Amino acid sequence: MGGSKTSPKAVILVGGEGTRLYPLTYGIPKPMVPVLNRPFLEHTIAYLRKYGVENIILASSYLPEVIQDYFGDGSKLGARLTYTVENNPLGTAGAVKNAEQYLDSTFVVLNGDIFTDLNIGAMLAFHQRKGAKATIALIQVDNPSAFGLVETDSDRRVTGFVEKPSPDQVTTNWINAGIYILEPEVLGYVPVNSHYMFEKGLFPLLLKQDEPVYGYPFSSYWLDMGTPEKYLCLNHDLLLLKVKSALINDLSRDKVCCDKEAAIHSSAEITGPAVIGSKCQIEQGAHIKGPVVIGADCHVGERANIEETVLWRGVNIGAGASLKHCIIGSNTSIEDNDQIVNRVVTPDSRPR
Ligand code: GTP
């Protein structure tokens, strides 16, 4: 970790229901959605491990048992995981307050739906250099109206916030990236067991109290995967090597990464980049054109065409069906000869 002696702990906020990803996230917490056939959260934990962060608190309020069953104590990923669970969602800052007993020195907070390769060591060094109580990572976007704007002075000290501004309120295009470094004492400003948010509650209060809050601008990869378009974009960006996951190191451009246990007919044509999971069956004359991800236990029927699409596990694609730019949820069946473009399809939703 660049410059610091001990690695900070991190809190990942994994409590959202993923409403913007419905119906894909019915019954699964958003951080468990598969990205290149591994839970999104596993990529995030590997990212933190890359920067030396070992002690990670998963702050959850929605289906925590699904997350715990998969990750356990985290030792398989070289991490030490602690779980905190809210009976009712406490909001972003309230969830961290709920983990206060584990936070006795400078720590990192990550929104659970952010994929980034921000250098945490460099951000921590900035935080320490400035003597900040809170440092907010800032990323520049073209259209900031759906985000929280963060205004700073020439020393990068935060001077104001504008949440989801109308066009005439846009004073900057630097937005809150959902990654923070905090000193434990700021949690003294957060009410116990109450719903409380960083963006609208704690950070404006810290400014009022004249506490040193700084913005750390960065320009490396950043994406909030919380909508179907962004989720698909993340899978494509990883396959096209626009960004690397710390979890997966055998991808290369145009390559087809196929599990040994997949059965692919010799006449099927597969153009990478593609990831094909275990026990998949790909039948005669099927065409797959990357970027494509095919989950475990999928069946792709004869002459089916799949392009720029992500299939979750256990999907059945009928003979002659054609899919372009789609996300197909687990255990969905697509009928023979169906033609589907730009859609999310799950067992609960009909393709047309
Ligand atoms: P959803 O799509 O419903 O998850 O909402 P969102 O992505 O718009 O979430 P928001 O921006 O409000 O929250 C940012 C991050 O904090 C997301 O990763 C959420 O999962 C997480 N989060 C939000 N509210 C809570 C909460 O009450 N408790 C916990 N533990 N996490 C939360």
Side-chain angles (χ1 to χ4, degrees):
M1 171 81 53
S4 78
K5 284 179 222 80
T6 52
S7 295
K9 291 183 181 173
V11 181
I12 310 180
L13 296 166
V14 292
E17 276 189 40
T19 45
R20 292 173 296 156
L21 279 172
Y22 283 167
L24 285 165
T25 42
Y26 284 152
I28 55 162
K30 182 168 53 169
M32 296 304 284
V33 302
V35 169
L36 304 187
N37 291 336
R38 307 281 280 274
F40 178 81
L41 181 57
E42 199 171 345
H43 295 270
T44 311
I45 293 171
Y47 157 73
L48 289 172
R49 290 295 301 116
K50 182 175 106 175
Y51 286 104
V53 178
E54 195 178 348
N55 286 294
I56 299 171
I57 296 144
L58 300 177
S60 177
S61 57
Y62 180 66
L63 301 174
E65 63 284 358
V66 180
I67 299 175
Q68 290 193 27
D69 286 352
Y70 184 87
F71 289 104
D73 65 2
S75 49
K76 280 193 202 128
L77 292 170
R80 272 186 235 156
L81 299 181
T82 303
Y83 297 87
T84 58
V85 177
E86 302 137 58
N87 295 329
N88 292 305
L90 289 173
T92 48
V96 177
K97 177 77 177 175
N98 195 43
E100 190 172 18
Q101 59 176 308
Y102 303 111
L103 301 168
D104 48 9
S105 55
T106 311
F107 61 95
V108 179
V109 176
L110 267 180
N111 278 359
D113 40 17
I114 299 303
F115 196 101
T116 187
D117 56 8
L118 162 82
N119 183 330
I120 293 179
M123 181 171 167
L124 184 66
F126 171 93
H127 174 85
Q128 288 164 338
R129 207 166 54 242
K130 296 290 186 187
K133 287 279 170 62
T135 298
I136 304 170
L138 305 180
I139 188 87
Q140 218 165 11
V141 293
D142 291 337
N143 179 6
S145 57
F147 299 96
L149 310 193
V150 183
E151 298 168 333
T152 56
D153 66 14
S154 57
D155 189 38
R156 311 266 188 238
R157 189 159 174 159
V158 174
T159 53
F161 298 98
V162 191
E163 270 304 307
K164 307 209 165 110
S166 56
D168 57 311
Q169 287 177 307
V170 174
T171 49
T172 172
N173 56 357
W174 288 99
I175 62 152
N176 176 345
I179 306 156
Y180 316 121
I181 294 181
L182 303 177
E183 293 303 313
E185 55 262 39
V186 301
L187 296 178
Y189 290 108
V190 180
V192 181
N193 240 333
S194 305
H195 192 276
Y196 201 67
M197 300 294 281
F198 282 117
E199 307 80 345
K200 291 184 198 137
L202 180 63
F203 292 147
L205 179 63
L206 290 178
L207 285 200
K208 243 192 216 154
Q209 299 291 330
D210 210 26
E211 294 282 15
V213 179
Y214 281 82
Y216 176 74
F218 73 105
S219 57
S220 38
Y221 189 90
W222 178 88
L223 181 139
D224 170 348
M225 64 84 178
T227 65
E229 298 72 35
K230 295 288 173 156
Y231 166 80
L232 198 54
C233 179
L234 173 60
N235 280 274
H236 289 175
D237 286 352
L238 284 161
L239 286 166
L240 294 166
L241 304 182
K242 290 187 185 165
V243 62
K244 257 188 89 151
S245 165
L247 186 62
I248 294 175
N249 48 27
D250 59 350
L251 287 180
S252 62
R253 225 186 129 81
D254 300 332
K255 185 174 160 186
V256 179
C257 290
C258 187
D259 189 276
K260 313 191 264 308
E261 287 184 63
I264 297 176
H265 193 277
S266 57
S267 68
E269 255 180 57
I270 306 179
T271 319
V275 170
I276 299 174
S278 70
K279 300 192 182 127
C280 283
Q281 253 183 295
I282 300 186
E283 304 287 3
Q284 191 173 349
H287 277 258
I288 292 170
K289 187 160 179 252
V292 159
V293 182
I294 300 187
D297 301 312
C298 287
H299 176 255
V300 177
E302 290 182 13
R303 295 169 287 100
N305 276 289
I306 300 178
E307 198 174 328
E308 295 169 10
T309 284
V310 175
L311 309 184
W312 291 13
R313 63 181 311 133
V315 171
N316 182 51
I317 307 292
S322 167
L323 299 176
K324 185 167 182 188
H325 214 78
C326 291
I327 307 166
I328 311 296
S330 299
N331 304 316
T332 304
S333 273
I334 302 295
E335 314 253 305
D336 291 356
N337 302 313
D338 264 357
Q339 310 272 315
I340 308 173
V341 181
N342 277 335
R343 293 291 305 267
V344 172
V345 189
T346 69
D348 308 311
S349 64
R350 295 301 311 138
R352 49 176 122 169

